[in-house]
Amino acid sequence: MSGKIDVREIDALVDAQNGRITPAIYTDSALYELELERVFGRTWLFLCHESQIPKAGDFFNTYMGEDPIIVARQKDGSIKAFLNQCRHRAMRVSFADCGNTRAFTCPYHGWSYGIDGSLKDIPLEDRAYPHGACKQEWGLLEVTRVKSYKGLVFGCWDETTPDLEEYMGDMAWYLDGVLDRRPGGTVIVGGVHKWEIECNWKFAAEQFASDQYHALFSHASAVQVLGAKPDDDSTKTLGAAQTARPVWETAKDAIQFGSKGHGSGFFFTEKPDANVWVDGEVANYFRETFDEVKERLGEIRALRLAGHNTMFPTLSWLNGTATLRVWHPRGPNKTEVWAFCICDAEAPQEVKDAFERSATRAFGPAGFLEQDDSENWVEIQKVLRGYKARQNKLIVEMGKGSEKVREDGVPGITSYIFSETAARGFYRRWADLLIHKDWEDVEKATEAYEKELVK
Ligand code: FES
Ligand SMILES: [Fe+2]
Protein backbone atom coordinates (compact mmCIF):
# COMPACT_ATOMS: atom_id res chain seq x y z
CA MET A 1 0.00 0.00 0.00
CA SER A 2 1.25 3.56 0.76
CA GLY A 3 0.62 6.55 -1.46
CA LYS A 4 -3.01 7.28 -2.20
CA ILE A 5 -5.44 4.82 -0.68
CA ASP A 6 -8.46 3.37 -2.41
CA VAL A 7 -10.80 2.73 0.52
CA ARG A 8 -12.02 -0.44 -1.19
CA GLU A 9 -8.57 -1.92 -0.58
CA ILE A 10 -8.95 -1.42 3.18
CA ASP A 11 -11.75 -3.96 3.39
CA ALA A 12 -9.36 -6.68 2.24
CA LEU A 13 -6.77 -5.78 4.90
CA VAL A 14 -9.01 -7.07 7.67
CA ASP A 15 -10.66 -10.38 6.89
CA ALA A 16 -12.54 -10.79 10.16
CA GLN A 17 -14.68 -13.66 8.82
CA ASN A 18 -11.61 -15.82 8.28
CA GLY A 19 -9.41 -14.19 10.89
CA ARG A 20 -6.61 -12.80 8.74
CA ILE A 21 -4.87 -9.41 9.13
CA THR A 22 -2.58 -7.82 6.56
CA PRO A 23 0.57 -6.42 8.25
CA ALA A 24 0.27 -3.10 6.37
CA ILE A 25 -2.26 -1.97 8.99
CA TYR A 26 0.67 -1.65 11.42
CA THR A 27 3.25 -0.12 9.10
CA ASP A 28 1.71 1.88 6.28
CA SER A 29 2.06 5.64 6.58
CA ALA A 30 -0.86 6.46 4.27
CA LEU A 31 -3.12 4.27 6.37
CA TYR A 32 -1.80 6.03 9.45
CA GLU A 33 -2.82 9.42 8.03
CA LEU A 34 -6.29 8.09 7.32
CA GLU A 35 -6.45 6.72 10.89
CA LEU A 36 -5.73 10.17 12.31
CA GLU A 37 -8.64 11.56 10.32
CA ARG A 38 -11.22 8.81 10.55
CA VAL A 39 -10.44 7.05 13.83
CA PHE A 40 -8.89 9.74 16.03
CA GLY A 41 -10.82 12.53 14.32
CA ARG A 42 -14.21 11.08 15.15
CA THR A 43 -14.23 8.56 18.00
CA TRP A 44 -14.67 9.33 21.70
CA LEU A 45 -11.19 9.65 23.18
CA PHE A 46 -10.25 9.65 26.86
CA LEU A 47 -8.90 13.04 27.95
CA CYS A 48 -8.43 12.88 31.72
CA HIS A 49 -10.14 12.06 35.00
CA GLU A 50 -12.29 14.76 36.61
CA SER A 51 -10.29 14.37 39.81
CA GLN A 52 -7.24 15.72 37.97
CA ILE A 53 -8.90 19.11 37.40
CA PRO A 54 -11.14 19.70 40.45
CA LYS A 55 -11.02 23.55 40.66
CA ALA A 56 -11.80 26.39 38.24
CA GLY A 57 -8.67 27.18 36.25
CA ASP A 58 -7.25 23.66 36.64
CA PHE A 59 -6.01 22.25 33.36
CA PHE A 60 -4.52 19.00 32.08
CA ASN A 61 -2.62 18.66 28.82
CA THR A 62 -3.18 15.60 26.68
CA TYR A 63 -3.66 14.49 23.07
CA MET A 64 -6.40 13.37 20.75
CA GLY A 65 -4.41 11.30 18.31
CA GLU A 66 -1.45 13.55 17.58
CA ASP A 67 -3.37 16.77 18.28
CA PRO A 68 -2.29 18.42 21.55
CA ILE A 69 -5.30 19.19 23.73
CA ILE A 70 -5.83 21.35 26.83
CA VAL A 71 -8.62 20.18 29.13
CA ALA A 72 -9.72 22.97 31.48
CA ARG A 73 -12.17 23.30 34.38
CA GLN A 74 -14.36 26.37 33.82
CA LYS A 75 -15.62 28.90 36.37
CA ASP A 76 -19.10 27.33 36.26
CA GLY A 77 -17.65 23.88 37.01
CA SER A 78 -18.04 22.56 33.48
CA ILE A 79 -15.15 21.12 31.50
CA LYS A 80 -14.00 22.33 28.10
CA ALA A 81 -11.20 21.12 25.87
CA PHE A 82 -9.22 23.05 23.27
CA LEU A 83 -6.63 22.43 20.63
CA ASN A 84 -3.34 23.49 22.22
CA GLN A 85 -2.41 25.62 19.24
CA CYS A 86 -2.13 29.39 19.05
CA ARG A 87 -4.42 30.79 16.40
CA HIS A 88 -1.72 33.25 15.29
CA ARG A 89 1.07 30.99 14.01
CA ALA A 90 0.25 27.58 15.46
CA MET A 91 2.57 27.61 18.50
CA ARG A 92 1.63 25.51 21.52
CA VAL A 93 0.18 27.81 24.21
CA SER A 94 0.40 25.52 27.23
CA PHE A 95 3.43 23.42 28.13
CA ALA A 96 2.97 22.18 31.68
CA ASP A 97 1.59 18.66 32.12
CA CYS A 98 -1.10 20.17 34.34
CA GLY A 99 -1.66 23.09 36.70
CA ASN A 100 -3.92 26.01 37.54
CA THR A 101 -4.00 29.23 35.54
CA ARG A 102 -6.03 32.28 34.60
CA ALA A 103 -4.57 32.44 31.09
CA PHE A 104 -2.70 30.50 28.46
CA THR A 105 -0.12 32.86 26.99
CA CYS A 106 1.63 31.93 23.78
CA PRO A 107 5.41 32.10 24.24
CA TYR A 108 6.00 33.13 20.61
CA HIS A 109 4.37 36.60 20.32
CA GLY A 110 2.35 36.75 23.51
CA TRP A 111 -1.26 36.28 22.49
CA SER A 112 -3.17 35.38 25.61
CA TYR A 113 -6.23 33.15 26.00
CA GLY A 114 -8.62 32.72 28.93
CA ILE A 115 -9.42 29.31 30.42
CA ASP A 116 -12.58 29.42 28.30
CA GLY A 117 -10.38 29.53 25.21
CA SER A 118 -11.30 33.09 24.25
CA LEU A 119 -8.55 35.37 22.95
CA LYS A 120 -8.15 38.05 25.63
CA ASP A 121 -5.07 39.97 24.67
CA ILE A 122 -2.88 40.69 21.66
CA PRO A 123 0.35 42.61 22.40
CA LEU A 124 0.42 45.96 20.56
CA GLU A 125 -3.05 45.24 19.25
CA ASP A 126 -3.92 48.82 18.26
CA ARG A 127 -0.74 49.44 16.29
CA ALA A 128 -0.22 45.92 14.90
CA TYR A 129 -3.79 45.56 13.63
CA PRO A 130 -4.84 49.05 12.52
CA HIS A 131 -7.92 47.64 10.79
CA GLY A 132 -8.92 45.70 13.90
CA ALA A 133 -8.18 42.20 15.14
CA CYS A 134 -10.99 39.60 15.01
CA LYS A 135 -10.50 38.53 18.61
CA GLN A 136 -13.97 36.99 18.79
CA GLU A 137 -13.07 34.57 16.03
CA TRP A 138 -9.51 33.84 17.03
CA GLY A 139 -10.10 31.92 20.24
CA LEU A 140 -8.58 28.47 20.73
CA LEU A 141 -10.32 25.84 18.67
CA GLU A 142 -12.73 24.07 21.00
CA VAL A 143 -13.21 20.31 20.98
CA THR A 144 -16.71 19.85 19.59
CA ARG A 145 -18.01 17.49 22.27
CA VAL A 146 -16.73 16.87 25.79
CA LYS A 147 -18.56 14.47 28.07
CA SER A 148 -17.87 12.75 31.37
CA TYR A 149 -18.71 9.18 32.17
CA LYS A 150 -18.52 8.46 35.93
CA GLY A 151 -15.42 10.62 36.34
CA LEU A 152 -13.69 9.88 33.03
CA VAL A 153 -13.68 12.83 30.63
CA PHE A 154 -13.92 12.08 26.92
CA GLY A 155 -13.67 14.31 23.86
CA CYS A 156 -14.87 13.91 20.29
CA TRP A 157 -14.41 16.16 17.25
CA ASP A 158 -17.33 14.81 15.25
CA GLU A 159 -20.90 16.00 15.78
CA THR A 160 -22.30 12.92 14.08
CA THR A 161 -20.59 10.32 16.28
CA PRO A 162 -23.15 8.43 18.40
CA ASP A 163 -23.49 9.74 21.97
CA LEU A 164 -20.82 8.53 24.34
CA GLU A 165 -22.98 5.92 26.07
CA GLU A 166 -24.27 4.54 22.79
CA TYR A 167 -20.71 4.48 21.49
CA MET A 168 -19.64 2.50 24.56
CA GLY A 169 -22.53 0.06 24.28
CA ASP A 170 -22.07 -3.03 26.46
CA MET A 171 -18.54 -1.94 27.33
CA ALA A 172 -20.05 0.40 29.95
CA TRP A 173 -20.99 -2.63 32.07
CA TYR A 174 -17.37 -3.75 32.14
CA LEU A 175 -16.07 -0.22 32.79
CA ASP A 176 -18.52 0.22 35.66
CA GLY A 177 -16.73 -2.67 37.36
CA VAL A 178 -13.88 -0.22 37.98
CA LEU A 179 -15.67 3.14 38.12
CA ASP A 180 -18.71 2.30 40.17
CA ARG A 181 -17.48 -0.01 42.93
CA ARG A 182 -18.22 2.48 45.70
CA PRO A 183 -20.52 5.53 46.03
CA GLY A 184 -17.66 8.05 45.85
CA GLY A 185 -16.49 6.82 42.45
CA THR A 186 -12.80 6.88 41.58
CA VAL A 187 -9.78 9.16 41.62
CA ILE A 188 -6.43 9.18 39.90
CA VAL A 189 -3.61 8.82 42.41
CA GLY A 190 -0.11 10.07 41.73
CA GLY A 191 1.09 11.46 38.44
CA VAL A 192 1.01 10.04 34.94
CA HIS A 193 3.80 7.78 33.72
CA LYS A 194 4.64 8.63 30.11
CA TRP A 195 7.01 6.77 27.84
CA GLU A 196 7.44 5.77 24.21
CA ILE A 197 7.56 2.32 22.69
CA GLU A 198 8.61 1.57 19.13
CA CYS A 199 5.47 -0.09 17.84
CA ASN A 200 2.09 0.64 16.33
CA TRP A 201 -0.62 1.61 18.85
CA LYS A 202 -2.95 -1.16 17.68
CA PHE A 203 -0.74 -3.93 19.06
CA ALA A 204 -1.23 -2.56 22.55
CA ALA A 205 -4.90 -1.58 22.29
CA GLU A 206 -5.92 -4.86 20.66
CA GLN A 207 -3.98 -6.98 23.15
CA PHE A 208 -5.71 -5.31 26.09
CA ALA A 209 -9.04 -5.92 24.35
CA SER A 210 -8.52 -9.51 23.43
CA ASP A 211 -5.34 -11.29 24.39
CA GLN A 212 -5.30 -13.25 27.62
CA TYR A 213 -3.60 -16.05 25.68
CA HIS A 214 -0.18 -14.35 25.80
CA ALA A 215 -0.20 -14.24 29.59
CA LEU A 216 0.31 -18.00 29.87
CA PHE A 217 3.63 -17.73 28.12
CA SER A 218 4.81 -14.11 28.00
CA HIS A 219 4.21 -13.58 31.72
CA ALA A 220 5.20 -17.07 32.77
CA SER A 221 8.31 -16.02 34.65
CA ALA A 222 6.48 -13.24 36.49
CA VAL A 223 3.69 -15.60 37.43
CA GLN A 224 6.21 -18.10 38.68
CA VAL A 225 7.76 -15.54 41.00
CA LEU A 226 4.52 -13.95 42.18
CA GLY A 227 2.58 -17.18 42.44
CA ALA A 228 5.17 -18.86 44.63
CA LYS A 229 4.50 -18.90 48.34
CA PRO A 230 7.32 -19.35 50.86
CA ASP A 231 6.02 -22.78 51.85
CA ASP A 232 5.16 -23.78 48.31
CA ASP A 233 7.84 -25.66 46.42
CA SER A 234 5.75 -26.06 43.26
CA THR A 235 8.01 -23.63 41.41
CA LYS A 236 10.83 -26.10 41.77
CA THR A 237 8.95 -28.94 40.18
CA LEU A 238 6.42 -27.36 37.82
CA GLY A 239 6.79 -25.23 34.74
CA ALA A 240 5.89 -21.60 35.20
CA ALA A 241 2.57 -21.78 33.38
CA GLN A 242 1.54 -24.72 35.57
CA THR A 243 2.37 -22.68 38.64
CA ALA A 244 -0.36 -20.32 37.52
CA ARG A 245 -2.99 -23.04 37.60
CA PRO A 246 -4.94 -21.47 40.47
CA VAL A 247 -6.02 -18.62 38.19
CA TRP A 248 -5.98 -20.02 34.69
CA GLU A 249 -7.11 -23.56 35.13
CA THR A 250 -9.20 -23.66 38.24
CA ALA A 251 -11.46 -20.70 37.45
CA LYS A 252 -15.07 -21.80 37.05
CA ASP A 253 -15.44 -20.12 33.71
CA ALA A 254 -13.79 -17.41 31.69
CA ILE A 255 -15.03 -15.11 28.99
CA GLN A 256 -13.93 -12.71 26.37
CA PHE A 257 -16.26 -9.93 25.35
CA GLY A 258 -16.05 -8.05 22.07
CA SER A 259 -18.38 -5.52 20.51
CA LYS A 260 -18.16 -2.19 18.63
CA GLY A 261 -14.37 -2.55 18.61
CA HIS A 262 -14.19 -2.74 22.42
CA GLY A 263 -13.03 -5.83 24.25
CA SER A 264 -12.56 -7.39 27.65
CA GLY A 265 -11.58 -10.67 29.23
CA PHE A 266 -11.80 -12.18 32.71
CA PHE A 267 -12.14 -15.32 34.78
CA PHE A 268 -14.99 -16.20 37.07
CA THR A 269 -13.37 -16.69 40.43
CA GLU A 270 -14.66 -17.70 43.83
CA LYS A 271 -12.74 -15.43 46.17
CA PRO A 272 -12.21 -11.66 46.04
CA ASP A 273 -8.44 -11.99 46.03
CA ALA A 274 -7.79 -13.89 42.83
CA ASN A 275 -5.27 -11.44 41.49
CA VAL A 276 -1.64 -12.38 41.82
CA TRP A 277 -0.41 -8.94 40.76
CA VAL A 278 -1.49 -7.19 43.94
CA ASP A 279 -0.85 -7.99 47.56
CA GLY A 280 -0.85 -6.60 51.10
CA GLU A 281 -3.08 -3.59 51.67
CA VAL A 282 -4.65 -3.79 48.22
CA ALA A 283 -5.72 -7.41 48.55
CA ASN A 284 -7.03 -6.75 52.08
CA TYR A 285 -8.96 -3.74 50.81
CA PHE A 286 -10.64 -5.87 48.11
CA ARG A 287 -11.65 -8.43 50.71
CA GLU A 288 -12.94 -5.79 53.13
CA THR A 289 -15.05 -4.00 50.51
CA PHE A 290 -16.33 -7.13 48.79
CA ASP A 291 -19.81 -7.19 50.35
CA GLU A 292 -20.42 -3.52 49.63
CA VAL A 293 -19.28 -3.87 46.02
CA LYS A 294 -21.33 -7.03 45.56
CA GLU A 295 -24.37 -5.10 46.71
CA ARG A 296 -23.76 -2.42 44.06
CA LEU A 297 -22.47 -4.41 41.11
CA GLY A 298 -23.48 -8.02 41.71
CA GLU A 299 -21.21 -10.93 42.46
CA ILE A 300 -19.64 -11.37 39.04
CA ARG A 301 -18.19 -7.89 38.91
CA ALA A 302 -17.40 -7.73 42.61
CA LEU A 303 -15.23 -10.81 42.15
CA ARG A 304 -13.69 -9.47 39.00
CA LEU A 305 -10.31 -8.34 40.32
CA ALA A 306 -8.30 -9.42 37.33
CA GLY A 307 -8.91 -8.96 33.65
CA HIS A 308 -8.09 -6.77 30.71
CA ASN A 309 -10.07 -4.19 28.77
CA THR A 310 -9.91 -1.74 25.86
CA MET A 311 -12.52 0.82 24.99
CA PHE A 312 -11.93 1.46 21.30
CA PRO A 313 -9.66 2.89 20.18
CA THR A 314 -7.02 3.66 22.81
CA LEU A 315 -8.28 3.53 26.40
CA SER A 316 -7.24 0.38 28.26
CA TRP A 317 -7.37 -0.69 31.88
CA LEU A 318 -6.81 -3.69 34.11
CA ASN A 319 -9.14 -4.56 36.97
CA GLY A 320 -7.51 -4.93 40.35
CA THR A 321 -4.13 -3.76 39.17
CA ALA A 322 -5.64 -0.28 38.85
CA THR A 323 -3.71 0.75 35.78
CA LEU A 324 -5.59 2.86 33.24
CA ARG A 325 -3.71 3.79 30.10
CA VAL A 326 -3.93 5.57 26.80
CA TRP A 327 -1.99 4.50 23.72
CA HIS A 328 -1.29 7.79 21.94
CA PRO A 329 -0.28 7.18 18.33
CA ARG A 330 3.05 8.66 17.24
CA GLY A 331 3.35 7.59 13.64
CA PRO A 332 2.82 4.04 12.37
CA ASN A 333 5.88 2.76 14.24
CA LYS A 334 5.64 4.48 17.60
CA THR A 335 3.27 4.78 20.57
CA GLU A 336 3.38 7.08 23.56
CA VAL A 337 2.02 5.23 26.57
CA TRP A 338 0.35 7.23 29.36
CA ALA A 339 -0.35 5.17 32.46
CA PHE A 340 -2.59 6.43 35.26
CA CYS A 341 -3.35 4.70 38.56
CA ILE A 342 -7.10 4.70 39.22
CA CYS A 343 -8.74 3.57 42.45
CA ASP A 344 -11.80 4.08 44.64
CA ALA A 345 -12.03 7.63 45.99
CA GLU A 346 -13.15 6.25 49.34
CA ALA A 347 -10.11 4.01 49.80
CA PRO A 348 -7.94 5.12 52.75
CA GLN A 349 -4.78 7.02 51.82
CA GLU A 350 -2.48 4.11 52.72
CA VAL A 351 -4.49 1.87 50.39
CA LYS A 352 -4.26 4.47 47.63
CA ASP A 353 -0.50 4.55 48.14
CA ALA A 354 -0.43 0.77 47.94
CA PHE A 355 -2.47 0.83 44.72
CA GLU A 356 0.00 3.28 43.23
CA ARG A 357 2.99 1.15 44.24
CA SER A 358 1.46 -2.04 42.91
CA ALA A 359 0.39 -0.46 39.59
CA THR A 360 3.86 1.02 39.13
CA ARG A 361 5.61 -2.19 40.05
CA ALA A 362 3.64 -4.26 37.55
CA PHE A 363 2.66 -1.79 34.85
CA GLY A 364 4.83 1.30 35.20
CA PRO A 365 7.39 1.98 32.45
CA ALA A 366 9.80 -0.47 34.09
CA GLY A 367 7.03 -2.75 35.36
CA PHE A 368 7.81 -6.42 35.08
CA LEU A 369 4.55 -7.19 33.25
CA GLU A 370 4.69 -4.06 31.12
CA GLN A 371 8.13 -5.09 29.88
CA ASP A 372 6.89 -8.58 29.01
CA ASP A 373 4.09 -7.08 26.92
CA SER A 374 5.83 -4.30 25.09
CA GLU A 375 8.84 -6.38 24.11
CA ASN A 376 6.54 -8.56 21.99
CA TRP A 377 4.99 -5.58 20.19
CA VAL A 378 8.32 -3.85 19.60
CA GLU A 379 9.89 -7.02 18.18
CA ILE A 380 6.92 -7.62 15.87
CA GLN A 381 7.23 -4.06 14.59
CA LYS A 382 10.91 -4.74 13.81
CA VAL A 383 10.07 -8.01 12.04
CA LEU A 384 7.53 -6.15 9.90
CA ARG A 385 10.27 -3.93 8.49
CA GLY A 386 11.16 -6.93 6.35
CA TYR A 387 9.61 -7.06 2.89
CA LYS A 388 8.89 -10.79 3.03
CA ALA A 389 7.58 -10.53 6.56
CA ARG A 390 5.05 -7.96 5.44
CA GLN A 391 3.55 -10.38 2.89
CA ASN A 392 2.47 -12.88 5.55
CA LYS A 393 -0.94 -12.35 7.03
CA LEU A 394 -1.38 -12.62 10.78
CA ILE A 395 -3.68 -15.40 11.96
CA VAL A 396 -6.46 -14.08 14.17
CA GLU A 397 -8.99 -16.89 14.03
CA MET A 398 -8.85 -18.35 17.54
CA GLY A 399 -12.32 -19.17 18.83
CA LYS A 400 -13.98 -18.36 15.51
CA GLY A 401 -17.57 -19.54 15.52
CA SER A 402 -17.79 -19.89 19.30
CA GLU A 403 -19.40 -16.52 19.91
CA LYS A 404 -22.60 -16.39 21.91
CA VAL A 405 -24.80 -14.19 24.06
CA ARG A 406 -24.81 -15.37 27.68
CA GLU A 407 -27.80 -15.62 29.95
CA ASP A 408 -26.14 -14.88 33.29
CA GLY A 409 -26.19 -11.09 33.03
CA VAL A 410 -22.77 -10.69 31.44
CA PRO A 411 -23.73 -8.57 28.46
CA GLY A 412 -22.70 -8.54 24.83
CA ILE A 413 -21.09 -10.95 22.43
CA THR A 414 -18.81 -13.30 24.31
CA SER A 415 -16.63 -16.32 23.73
CA TYR A 416 -14.14 -18.35 25.74
CA ILE A 417 -11.34 -16.18 27.09
CA PHE A 418 -8.67 -17.82 24.95
CA SER A 419 -10.01 -16.60 21.66
CA GLU A 420 -9.59 -13.66 19.29
CA THR A 421 -13.20 -12.60 19.06
CA ALA A 422 -12.50 -9.12 20.43
CA ALA A 423 -9.43 -8.76 18.20
CA ARG A 424 -11.47 -9.53 15.08
CA GLY A 425 -14.12 -7.04 16.21
CA PHE A 426 -11.45 -4.42 17.01
CA TYR A 427 -9.89 -4.63 13.54
CA ARG A 428 -13.26 -4.85 11.80
CA ARG A 429 -14.38 -1.65 13.56
CA TRP A 430 -11.08 0.00 12.63
CA ALA A 431 -11.51 -0.97 8.96
CA ASP A 432 -15.13 0.14 8.89
CA LEU A 433 -14.19 3.54 10.31
CA LEU A 434 -11.55 3.98 7.63
CA ILE A 435 -13.87 2.84 4.85
CA HIS A 436 -17.06 4.72 5.70
CA LYS A 437 -17.35 8.49 5.80
CA ASP A 438 -20.76 8.47 7.48
CA TRP A 439 -21.21 7.19 11.02
CA GLU A 440 -24.50 5.69 10.00
CA ASP A 441 -22.64 3.40 7.60
CA VAL A 442 -20.01 2.56 10.23
CA GLU A 443 -22.75 1.51 12.66
CA LYS A 444 -24.58 -0.48 9.99
CA ALA A 445 -21.39 -2.34 9.10
CA THR A 446 -20.72 -3.15 12.78
CA GLU A 447 -24.29 -4.34 13.31
CA ALA A 448 -24.19 -6.56 10.23
CA TYR A 449 -20.87 -8.08 11.31
CA GLU A 450 -22.01 -8.75 14.88
CA LYS A 451 -25.38 -10.13 13.79
CA GLU A 452 -23.60 -12.81 11.76
CA LEU A 453 -21.51 -13.81 14.79
CA VAL A 454 -24.43 -14.83 16.98
CA LYS A 455 -27.15 -15.73 14.50
S1 FES B 1 2.23 32.09 17.44
FE1 FES B 1 1.21 32.57 19.23
S2 FES B 1 1.35 34.69 19.43
FE2 FES B 1 2.32 34.25 17.55
FE1 LIG C 1 0.30 -8.89 29.31
Side-chain angles (χ1 to χ4, degrees):
M1 197 158 259
S2 84
K4 193 146 172 55
I5 294 173
D6 179 341
V7 288
R8 284 167 304 187
E9 290 175 39
I10 296 169
D11 191 48
L13 298 174
V14 176
D15 179 359
Q17 274 76 22
N18 296 304
R20 292 294 183 275
I21 302 290
T22 304
I25 72 163
Y26 304 112
T27 61
D28 189 274
S29 50
L31 279 174
Y32 179 76
E33 285 303 315
L34 197 59
E35 262 178 2
L36 290 184
E37 176 195 336
R38 298 214 176 152
V39 176
F40 294 96
R42 59 192 189 138
T43 52
W44 284 99
L45 300 169
F46 173 71
L47 301 178
C48 69
H49 192 288
E50 285 189 23
S51 66
Q52 294 178 293
I53 47 169
K55 300 189 301 293
D58 284 351
F59 68 92
F60 180 82
N61 271 315
T62 186
Y63 291 88
M64 292 172 73
E66 296 237 36
D67 285 310
I69 300 291
I70 306 169
V71 195
R73 180 75 73 172
Q74 304 299 300
K75 286 183 184 146
D76 65 0
S78 65
I79 294 171
K80 290 182 183 231
F82 309 98
L83 192 62
N84 188 355
Q85 178 195 41
C86 182
R87 293 296 301 278
H88 179 218
R89 300 290 288 274
M91 180 58 167
R92 186 186 287 261
V93 299
S94 177
F95 285 80
D97 291 343
C98 57
N100 183 280
T101 190
R102 282 189 297 179
F104 300 108
T105 301
C106 177
Y108 200 172
H109 311 96
W111 286 24
S112 188
Y113 303 84
I115 55 160
D116 62 353
S118 61
L119 179 56
K120 300 282 192 209
D121 189 59
I122 297 179
L124 301 174
E125 180 179 346
D126 293 346
R127 278 173 283 170
Y129 293 88
H131 303 298
C134 302
K135 276 158 82 181
Q136 310 287 342
E137 293 168 26
W138 294 347
L140 297 175
L141 190 65
E142 189 170 342
V143 175
T144 322
R145 297 160 78 187
V146 172
K147 199 167 176 206
S148 289
Y149 181 81
K150 299 186 181 180
L152 303 190
V153 184
F154 293 86
C156 177
W157 288 112
D158 189 340
E159 280 171 7
T160 69
T161 305
D163 283 345
L164 178 60
E165 296 197 16
E166 190 185 339
Y167 173 90
M168 293 169 80
D170 290 322
M171 194 68 208
W173 184 89
Y174 298 84
L175 183 51
D176 287 352
V178 170
L179 299 181
D180 214 4
R181 287 170 33 86
R182 303 194 68 190
T186 54
V187 288
I188 297 296
V189 291
V192 185
H193 285 123
K194 303 175 180 180
W195 69 99
E196 287 184 342
I197 47 176
E198 304 286 324
C199 67
N200 188 277
W201 65 273
K202 292 190 286 301
F203 286 119
E206 174 251 297
Q207 182 188 288
F208 273 67
S210 182
D211 196 329
Q212 181 71 37
Y213 191 46
H214 79 284
L216 295 167
F217 212 82
S218 289
H219 298 310
S221 57
V223 169
Q224 189 172 26
V225 172
L226 290 169
K229 303 205 169 52
D231 58 348
D232 176 2
D233 67 354
S234 61
T235 51
K236 293 185 191 131
T237 54
L238 298 173
Q242 286 169 293
T243 312
R245 279 183 67 217
V247 179
W248 287 321
E249 291 181 22
T250 62
K252 283 189 291 178
D253 194 1
I255 69 150
Q256 180 175 112
F257 153 80
S259 176
K260 297 191 173 197
H262 318 307
S264 180
F266 70 98
F267 298 91
F268 290 79
T269 53
E270 287 175 333
K271 288 192 296 180
D273 57 356
N275 185 339
V276 295
W277 316 134
V278 298
D279 58 13
E281 292 104 318
V282 172
N284 287 339
Y285 174 73
F286 283 140
R287 281 189 283 269
E288 284 160 14
T289 53
F290 176 70
D291 288 338
E292 180 192 330
V293 176
K294 184 176 158 190
E295 188 75 19
R296 289 176 70 80
L297 297 174
E299 188 169 24
I300 292 171
R301 284 183 295 176
L303 282 168
R304 195 194 164 183
L305 297 173
H308 54 81
N309 313 263
T310 290
M311 176 175 155
F312 189 92
T314 45
L315 176 66
S316 299
W317 65 95
L318 297 174
N319 299 64
T321 313
T323 183
L324 178 91
R325 60 253 323 281
V326 186
W327 317 103
H328 292 300
R330 293 291 177 266
N333 305 307
K334 195 182 279 191
T335 300
E336 192 170 319
V337 188
W338 284 24
F340 306 67
C341 175
I342 185 168
C343 68
D344 298 337
E346 288 171 53
Q349 189 56 47
E350 62 271 20
V351 172
K352 287 182 178 141
D353 295 342
F355 266 113
E356 195 183 350
R357 279 198 305 277
S358 97
T360 303
R361 187 181 57 184
F363 284 97
F368 52 90
L369 296 165
E370 186 76 43
Q371 301 274 311
D372 290 343
D373 286 334
S374 49
E375 186 178 5
N376 290 323
W377 312 327
V378 169
E379 288 303 319
I380 297 167
Q381 196 76 40
K382 281 190 208 158
V383 169
L384 296 183
R385 284 161 65 175
Y387 174 77
K388 276 288 182 193
R390 265 179 282 144
Q391 312 312 309
N392 278 333
K393 294 192 177 187
L394 282 64
I395 301 167
V396 191
E397 68 169 72
M398 201 190 313
K400 191 164 72 74
S402 67
E403 293 84 0
K404 63 176 182 180
V405 176
R406 298 174 64 99
E407 286 168 5
D408 59 0
V410 175
I413 294 168
T414 61
S415 55
Y416 183 51
I417 196 163
F418 297 122
S419 68
E420 287 161 338
T421 296
R424 291 189 288 277
F426 176 93
Y427 290 119
R428 197 54 247 170
R429 183 72 156 179
W430 173 87
D432 286 330
L433 275 161
L434 262 56
I435 292 166
H436 301 294
K437 272 196 172 143
D438 292 339
W439 258 103
E440 216 174 295
D441 294 328
V442 175
E443 292 289 68
K444 268 190 207 153
T446 301
E447 265 170 48
Y449 171 68
E450 294 188 357
K451 212 167 158 188
E452 278 297 303
L453 290 181
V454 290
K455 70 175 180 200

